[in-house]
Amino acid sequence: MSVPVVSIVCLCYNQSRFVAEAISSVMRQTYRNIQLIVIDDASTDDSVSVIEACRKQFPNIIFFALKQNVGNCKAFNIGLSHAVGDYIIDLAADDVLLPHRVNK
């Protein structure tokens, strides 16, 4: 029996202070079959560099840095179009997941 993939789409716009913690909360999940997709919606702060630093630690993160701000719905749909999971979680970059969230 295969374990379902859970895709997590994390949207970021000018949330450099929080995005590393959001990413870390995904990577600390007790459930392991996770695909993390991070979309930066043309942030004007240093969000992209923070996300790139996280990718050095967690190279499996799929990351799209949009060149033009397209808004939450369109940015989410870009991430969703790359999701392969049986389940989808929408995660804001200024939020965190408790360690057992995906498992539950």
Side-chain angles (χ1 to χ4, degrees), residues 7-11 35-40 62-64 66 70 72-85 88-89:
S7 294
I8 300 175
V9 179
C10 179
L11 299 180
Q35 173 195 38
L36 176 58
I37 303 166
V38 179
I39 309 291
D40 181 79
I62 299 167
F63 177 48
F64 297 95
L66 304 181
V70 297
N72 282 348
C73 291
K74 190 168 185 178
F76 179 81
N77 285 337
I78 291 168
L80 184 61
S81 72
H82 295 277
V84 298
I88 307 293
I89 295 175

Side-chain angles (χ1 to χ4, degrees), residues 37-78:
I37 303 166
V38 179
I39 309 291
D40 181 79
D41 195 10
S43 291
T44 57
D45 65 1
D46 64 343
S47 293
V48 170
S49 62
V50 171
I51 296 165
E52 288 291 0
C54 290
R55 288 185 69 214
K56 288 184 174 135
Q57 185 178 3
F58 307 110
N60 290 338
I61 294 172
I62 299 167
F63 177 48
F64 297 95
L66 304 181
K67 302 296 182 200
Q68 180 178 344
N69 184 276
V70 297
N72 282 348
C73 291
K74 190 168 185 178
F76 179 81
N77 285 337
I78 291 168

